[in-house]
Structures are given as C-alpha cells and as structure tokens.
Amino acid sequence: MSKGFRRIRGVHDGLPDMVRRWRRIEEAARDVFSRYAFAEVRLPVLEPTALFVRSIGEATDIVSKEMYHFVDQGGDDICLRPEGTAGAVRAWLQAGLSRAGATRWFYMGPMFRRERPQKGRLRQFQQIGVEWFGVAGPVEDAEMLAMAHAFLHRLGLDGLRLEINSLGCPACRPAYRERLVAWLSERADALCDTCRERIQSNPMRVLDCKVEACQAALADAPEMIAHLCGDCAAHFAGLKEALGALEVAYVVNPRIVRGLDYYSRTAFEIVTDRLGAQGTVLAGGRYDGLVAELGGPATPAVGFAAGLERLAMLLPEEPAECPDVGVVALGDAALPHALRAARALREGGCSVLWCGGGSARRQFKVADREGVRFVAVIGEDEAAAGRLAWKDMHSGEQRTLTVDEAIKACRAALRSTARGIASRP
Ligand code: ATP
Ligand code: MG
C-alpha cells in the first residue's frame, strides 16, 4: 500500500483502539446529559456557507481562512460545518421550536476547520456540544458548567481547571472595545503581525494571542470584567455564587475571549496542562444575540463544546473486550449444528467468535489468540446429540452441555467477573 492513497493531512482514522475510547466518552456524555434532561439531536454536516459567515463573524479565523466550503453542482455555496451552534440554532428555528419555550439539546459529530495540523489540532475533529435555548439567568450558566464538570468527572478527569470570564453585552462592550482599540493602537509596534491586523477587526481576540512577546506587551491591557455594565456585573456575580453553591471550583481568567463573535456575558474554558498549547478540552459560553442574528426572535442561550480527540488523549487505553465463546466446528457433518449453536449463543446474549473451521489445533489457536473465556467444540458426536463440548479456558474444566446450559454457564461466569454479558445493556 506504500504507493497507494494516503490520508489527507490533519484528518485521522478511528481504529478500534481509539474508537473504544471515543465510545466511552460518548456514553458518559449521553448518560450525564440525559440526567440534566438534555435531548440528543443529529444535525447535518453540510450547511449553507452564509450561516457561518453570519453567525461566527467575518473577522474570525474560522470564517476568514478555515472553512471548507465549495460551490456544488447546483450553484449553492455549501460548507462542511466548522462548529455546531449555528446549525443547531438554524434547525431549532426551522422546526418552529422557538415558540415552544426553552430547549435543551446535545449532539456529537465531526467538525471541519482548515487549521495548521498539530497535536490536538486536526482538520476533521469531533465535538460533543450542548445548547440551551431560551434561558437568560446566571444560574443556568452554572447548571451548564456543573453538567460539564459532571461529564468530565464521570470520565475520571479531575485535574482540570475551569476558567470563567464575562464578555459583556451590547450595552457595555462597545465602550470597552473603543478603550481597548485605543490602548492597543498605542502599543501596536510591540505586537505580532496578526495582532496588529486584529486591532480594528477583532481587538478582543488580541488579548488571547499565544505569542509570548504579545502577552508581555498586553500585561496591563484593559479587561472587559473591569468595564461591565450593572446587569452584566450582576450576572457574573450570580454565576460565581451559583458555582459556589454547587462547589464547582473555578478561576476568573479575564483573557478568555473565545474565537467566535457571537458570545456575550459568560465565557468559559476547561483546561488541562497535559496537552501543551492545545490544552482547552471544553469551551463555551452565552450567546444571547445569535438567535436574533440568524433571523429568529430575541432568545438568550448558553452552550459549550468539548473536543473528543483531546479528551481521548487524556484517557487511559480502553482494553478490548474478548469474545465470550469461541465456536470450534470439526468436520462438515457438524457444520449446520455448529452454525446454529453459534447463533443461539449470540441470541442468548454471549459474544461469539466463529473460529473459522479447519483443524482443531488451528481453531483453538484462534480462540486462544482472541482470549475467549469458553470454547464450544462441535464435532459429529455433539451434532448428533444436539450438544456441545464446553471448555472453560480459565479452569481447563470440560463438560458436555446443551446450548441452553452453555448460555447459563456463560452468563454465570461473566456475571461473577463483572464483565461481558453482565455489564452489557
Ligand atoms: P482552540 O483555542 O483550541 O483553537 P477554539 O476556541 O477554536 O479552540 P471551539 O471552537 O470553542 O475551540 O471548540 C471547542 C473545543 O473543540 C475546543 O476546546 C477543542 O477541545 C476542540 N477543538 C477545536 N478546534 C479543534 C481542532 N482543530 N482539532 C481538535 N479539536 C478542536
Ligand atoms: Mg481554534
């Protein structure tokens, strides 16, 4: 295959070792989010390009250089979604749900951004996202954060830091923005090229530049949280109070700005020190203006998205589950009974590996390699008697059993080791 096709840069293959970890994360998300009464949605990967230009903002990295978009054969400008929130708002409006009151959704799936590929930064990656439409209060922001916290705790990821900030609102941000632009303009020489370009187009994003020289120059930059209006200040205080009540630890980081334009008030990131520069595993905030921006009724909302691949990098390897039973069929005459026995064992809840026929030696080797707990041998005698020779690979014990007895034996053994059937839903 050395001369064959290669993967596109920045995308990856989810092979079984990795998919087991992804599934563990997805199952934790489904379980925790449903306890918070959120419902799963599955939304399109393809959306109109204009949806993202309108929602995320033209001056953002995503829209200005990272979107995978194309004009299709019918002349429509279509985009592989770079994030989930805009599509969720579109779907919610299109389904007429804005009339039905608050809505709680979550989703998981691939997102696409043409970023510079590096560890923890892919061009096709997966997000688990959550959106809560129609709620305005700081208590709901805290509930969201408690839910994110519970999800990460379920995964055994406790050494993470929650950072929160407030980005203000249309009442207080413009004045702050002006002050910031003036402050940055005076120090433009000390900033990197990207930051200099952003002073006018997206000044708040300058605060979050990763270049060290910029960070040094920005040490005393004016911060949004010192310039909040009364309502935004009260909201931020309410958030901190509710987090305190829930005993969710946090630090205020006035430099969190988020890459997207549509955020207002609460913004947050959950960060690890274990992934270098790509340490944000979950991020989100309030986006009170977005629904109206996309043509809907004014609707406050809050949400977050977690990067599945980054979370997976923090988890230990997930061991493969071995099949419960290997079926060894000896001779053509035994074949029909062996096939039916394998199916019956599966219907009884066992996972069954067909060992592939051939010599007993070869089939036992397969069973051994796959780590099966039991081997069911079916030769002509067993087929004639409607039974199977049942070998416990742990104890070496052998018995002749009916298929029903074998199912019972399998269930009992796996229950006692708390894996296999007993832990399957
Ligand atoms: P970053 O600051 O790391 O670029 P972002 O602000 O662009 O993140 P969001 O758009 O808020 O991130 O996405 C939420 C989460 O999705 C991130 O915290 C991260 O875990 C994950 N994520 C974002 N972009 C990528 C990517 N290119 N590859 C892998 N994961 C990503
Ligand atoms: Mg980014």
Side-chain angles (χ1 to χ4, degrees):
M1 183 66 201
S2 60
K3 284 202 184 129
F5 296 107
R6 314 282 298 179
R7 257 195 326 269
I8 289 173
R9 232 159 82 77
V11 310
H12 58 168
D13 301 315
L15 301 180
D17 280 345
M18 192 44 80
V19 172
R20 277 197 296 278
R21 276 191 243 190
W22 291 349
R23 285 186 50 151
R24 186 156 167 248
I25 299 168
E26 290 162 358
E27 279 157 20
R30 287 203 173 91
D31 184 44
V32 171
F33 298 167
S34 61
R35 288 183 201 213
Y36 279 77
F38 281 66
E40 183 167 355
V41 290
R42 301 193 184 182
L43 302 174
V45 166
L46 299 180
E47 292 282 1
T49 302
L51 173 70
F52 301 109
V53 177
R54 184 65 177 265
S55 61
I56 300 174
E58 251 160 303
T60 60
D61 285 351
I62 293 184
V63 170
S64 63
K65 52 188 190 219
E66 295 174 359
M67 285 196 301
Y68 280 101
H69 67 108
F70 59 96
V71 176
D72 77 0
Q73 293 85 334
D76 295 320
D77 193 348
I78 284 176
C79 186
L80 296 175
R81 63 181 180 191
E83 57 99 46
T85 302
V89 171
R90 185 217 30 82
W92 184 72
L93 288 173
Q94 198 160 351
L97 293 169
S98 56
R99 291 184 295 274
T103 302
R104 297 166 307 276
W105 279 359
F106 72 93
Y107 49 83
M108 29 191 102
M111 306 292 163
F112 305 82
R113 297 183 195 174
R114 198 173 187 290
E115 306 207 62
R116 191 167 69 79
Q118 50 196 297
K119 185 181 169 213
R121 198 174 286 292
L122 297 153
R123 289 178 169 182
Q124 175 172 347
F125 59 99
Q126 298 167 85
Q127 281 185 343
I128 299 183
V130 176
E131 317 292 348
W132 193 353
F133 303 125
V135 290
V139 170
E140 282 77 17
D141 299 0
E143 274 263 290
M144 273 259 143
L145 284 167
M147 181 165 89
H149 185 267
F151 162 54
L152 298 170
H153 179 71
R154 169 68 60 86
L155 291 171
L157 299 173
D158 288 323
L160 301 170
R161 190 169 64 253
L162 165 62
E163 301 183 347
I164 62 170
N165 191 22
S166 176
L167 302 178
C169 70
C172 51
R173 196 155 50 192
Y176 162 74
R177 189 183 193 276
E178 227 170 87
R179 186 188 284 257
L180 179 63
V181 170
W183 192 93
L184 292 171
S185 303
E186 279 171 27
R187 291 156 184 84
D189 292 345
L191 301 175
C192 71
D193 292 347
T194 316
C195 284
R196 263 202 305 278
E197 277 166 31
R198 281 182 176 153
I199 292 178
Q200 295 298 332
S201 65
N202 198 352
M204 287 175 77
R205 196 67 214 266
V206 173
L207 295 178
D208 142 81
C209 179
K210 305 279 190 306
V211 175
E212 253 173 61
C214 291
Q215 276 310 319
L218 293 165
D220 300 319
E223 289 168 348
M224 186 69 238
I225 42 169
H227 298 87
L228 297 175
C229 63
D231 286 348
C232 286
H235 190 102
F236 198 46
L239 167 64
K240 291 191 277 189
E241 200 178 314
L243 288 175
L246 286 162
E247 293 174 320
V248 173
Y250 63 86
V251 291
V252 174
N253 177 356
R255 293 302 170 83
I256 292 179
V257 298
R258 312 293 308 115
L260 322 180
D261 267 3
Y262 54 59
Y263 285 102
S264 53
R265 294 193 169 156
T266 307
F268 53 83
E269 296 190 355
I270 296 182
V271 188
T272 171
D273 296 326
R274 285 168 52 197
L275 297 179
Q278 272 59 253
T280 305
V281 294
L282 182 153
R286 183 160 273 292
Y287 49 96
D288 291 344
L290 181 62
V291 176
E293 185 66 35
L294 294 178
T299 307
V302 58
F304 67 74
L308 189 69
E309 288 82 1
R310 289 189 198 175
L311 288 173
M313 284 194 273
L314 298 176
L315 292 183
E317 221 173 285
E318 191 78 15
E321 258 193 36
C322 302
D324 302 326
V325 185
V327 169
V328 170
L330 299 175
D332 291 347
L335 196 61
H337 178 57
L339 283 167
R340 285 194 295 270
R343 184 178 60 192
L345 284 161
R346 292 182 181 120
E347 285 167 356
C350 315
S351 66
V352 178
L353 170 72
W354 181 255
C355 291
S359 71
R361 200 176 116 82
R362 201 201 69 81
Q363 293 187 66
F364 265 93
K365 224 166 151 181
V366 171
D368 213 40
R369 191 182 63 220
E370 299 269 348
V372 304
R373 172 65 201 275
F374 300 102
V375 170
V377 183
I378 298 154
E380 281 175 29
D381 291 351
E382 287 80 12
R387 292 176 175 252
L388 36 85
W390 184 253
K391 180 169 182 188
D392 184 329
M393 301 296 275
H394 284 189
S395 65
E397 183 198 355
Q398 292 197 49
R399 294 182 282 170
T400 303
L401 300 179
T402 64
V403 172
D404 283 346
E405 288 164 347
I407 292 170
K408 280 202 193 94
C410 190
R411 283 175 169 274
L414 297 166
R415 204 153 30 237
S416 72
T417 55
R419 51 166 290 277
I421 303 176
S423 61
R424 276 184 219 124

